[in-house]
Amino acid sequence: MVSEKQLEANRRNAEKSTGPKTTEGKSNSSRNNLRHGLTGHISLLPIEDREAHDAFCNELIDSFTPETPLERQLAQSIAEDSWRLNRARAIENNMFALGHDHERREAQIALADAETFLRQAAAFNLLSIYEQRINRNLQRNMKLMKELQTERKAQHHHAMEEAKLLAQLNLMNGLPYRPEENGFVFSHTEINRAIDRDNRLKAARQAAIAAPKPSGPQFPIARAA
């Protein structure tokens, strides 16, 4: 048990602790909430960069419309690697910009770029290796994502075709249909909407075939000279 004296000491210490005083301390404190939500690792990004990073990654992740945990993980990896690839390219551009030293004439800038490349050849080489590694990971994950989503959509389509057939069979026999009893996750509304769409498409195709062909003179299509 904590004694009354210890409680009182804790209260006095708490009153003395008012947070960081210096600019550096406040800056470090502002980064305390930048722990990555997935891995728990500290990601040392300023607030503005973190907001840009999250907006970029979230938009890219949403564009894949992931529906399974593995698809979401792949989408996250693709987004992170895309951000890193853009950052590596920005670093390369900034390395050249540092060598310009406020040069304005095109010839002087070109010479400054050449000198920068010669002076920083090792750094550029490491950056190139870094970009290649990221790009390989990116392409591999993109390929895997495409394969997973193609397989998932094919399974979804096959299951829906089976659900529609069973629903129509029960309807013809005057029996109620319960998709969950056959292991389907589709609702009655989804199945009925799919059946209605098929019927409308079938009617549209039949109408297009039965439609009379246009009569009257047919003008030849002009050929390009």
Side-chain angles (χ1 to χ4, degrees), residues 195-212:
I195 293 173
D196 179 65
R197 179 178 179 273
D198 288 348
N199 292 335
R200 288 186 289 109
L201 283 173
K202 183 179 179 180
R205 293 190 184 100
Q206 291 175 344
I209 294 173

Side-chain angles (χ1 to χ4, degrees), residues 28 36 65 74 81 93 97-98 146 156 180 204-205 216 221:
N28 291 335
H36 197 285
T65 58
L74 283 172
D81 282 339
N93 291 333
L98 286 172
K146 183 178 180 180
H156 180 279
E180 65 277 4
R205 293 190 184 100
I221 299 177

Side-chain angles (χ1 to χ4, degrees), residues 71-146:
E71 287 182 10
R72 286 191 290 272
Q73 180 62 40
L74 283 172
Q76 178 74 33
S77 297
I78 292 169
E80 293 283 354
D81 282 339
S82 297
W83 173 267
R84 292 187 185 99
L85 198 58
N86 290 343
R87 183 175 61 185
R89 291 167 179 167
I91 291 173
E92 183 177 3
N93 291 333
N94 292 338
M95 288 171 67
F96 280 119
L98 286 172
H100 290 171
D101 194 22
H102 306 294
E103 297 285 355
R104 288 293 180 267
R105 295 178 57 186
E106 292 183 3
Q108 291 174 329
I109 290 177
L111 290 174
D113 285 346
E115 291 176 357
T116 299
F117 186 81
L118 290 175
R119 288 196 305 269
Q120 303 290 338
F124 277 109
N125 184 55
L126 287 176
L127 190 61
S128 176
I129 294 173
Y130 180 71
E131 289 181 89
Q132 291 172 24
R133 185 182 302 127
I134 294 174
N135 195 50
R136 284 196 300 270
N137 290 338
L138 187 60
Q139 296 302 321
R140 183 181 64 249
N141 288 333
M142 287 283 288
K143 182 176 181 292
L144 183 55
M145 172 70 82
K146 183 178 180 180

Side-chain angles (χ1 to χ4, degrees), residues 47-59:
I47 295 298
E48 295 80 5
D49 288 350
R50 167 60 65 188
E51 291 174 353
H53 168 275
D54 290 348
F56 174 87
C57 289
N58 290 337
E59 185 176 11

